[in-house]
Amino acid sequence: MHPDIDRILIDEEQLDSIITDIAHQIDRDYAGEDKRLLLLCILKGSVVFMGELMKKLTVPVEIDFMKVSSYGAQTKSTGNINIILDLYRQDLHTCDILIVEDIIDSGKTLSYLVDYLNLKGAKSVKTVTLLDKPSRREVDFQPDYHGIEIPDFFVVGYGLDYAEKYRALPYVGILKPEIYTH
Ligand code: IMP
Ligand code: MG
């Protein structure tokens, strides 16, 4: 285990079974000729989850990417959502967008993005998150699909970072608090 990690919260085997479950639900809901599923990965934290999820889906998918920031190098959301990489497509009115997010904390990022993509004219917009910290919610927001609810720990790994580190860890781990409180 990485020396900056206090303990592993979700190991590789659990992550695999959580994502398999989500993929089954999405397969069921997006089957059918009238659906055109666009997985929209929110960079950078969601890249590992997205990669695993898309391999497990059997319905046809297209993929795209947006990059937003709400966190600085700190462990608290600023609440201001900045779009750093936007979604430029002419065919949004035919796309059933599923926003793929690593974790929901305050809920501000996803509630903003859902409104934004609806305003841009997407055919439908839903959300999937691997991790959810419901106790931290500041706006009323429920994802359409979620992997697992976790307590209010700052976690890293499996795409999630602290100051751009730890994204490549194959598990979700609780970061030792002394790493970010000094
Ligand atoms: P929200 O807008 O407050 O819901 O923030 C969601 C974003 O905050 C996620 O996409 C992550 O980038 C980041 N975030 C929230 N909690 C954590 C955490 O425990 N570890 C790493 N990043 C986090
Ligand atoms: Mg993120």
Side-chain angles (χ1 to χ4, degrees), residues 5 16 22 27 32 49 52 65 70 83 92 125 127 143 157 169 175:
I5 300 298
D16 188 74
I22 299 177
D27 270 341
F49 173 42
E52 288 303 310
F65 299 87
S70 64
I83 295 180
L92 278 184
V125 183
T127 57
L169 297 177
L175 192 60

Side-chain angles (χ1 to χ4, degrees), residues 64-106:
D64 226 316
F65 299 87
M66 279 184 78
K67 187 172 176 187
V68 300
S69 73
S70 64
Y71 272 48
Q74 306 302 312
T75 58
K76 282 226 161 59
S77 174
T78 62
N80 301 318
I81 315 300
N82 296 310
I83 295 180
I84 296 165
L85 174 68
D86 205 344
L87 181 63
Y88 297 105
R89 296 178 68 119
Q90 305 305 315
D91 59 354
L92 278 184
H93 60 287
T94 64
C95 291
D96 294 293
I97 297 180
L98 181 59
I99 305 174
V100 180
E101 179 63 303
D102 51 358
I103 186 165
I104 307 181
D105 188 73
S106 71

Side-chain angles (χ1 to χ4, degrees), residues 12 15 21 25 35 43 49 65 73 79 83 104-106 123 137 148 158-159 169 171:
E12 291 184 66
L15 285 160
D21 266 7
Q25 296 172 42
K35 294 280 200 309
L43 295 170
F49 173 42
F65 299 87
I83 295 180
I104 307 181
D105 188 73
S106 71
K123 184 178 152 213
R137 213 59 109 245
I148 185 169
Y158 215 75
L169 297 177
Y171 49 80

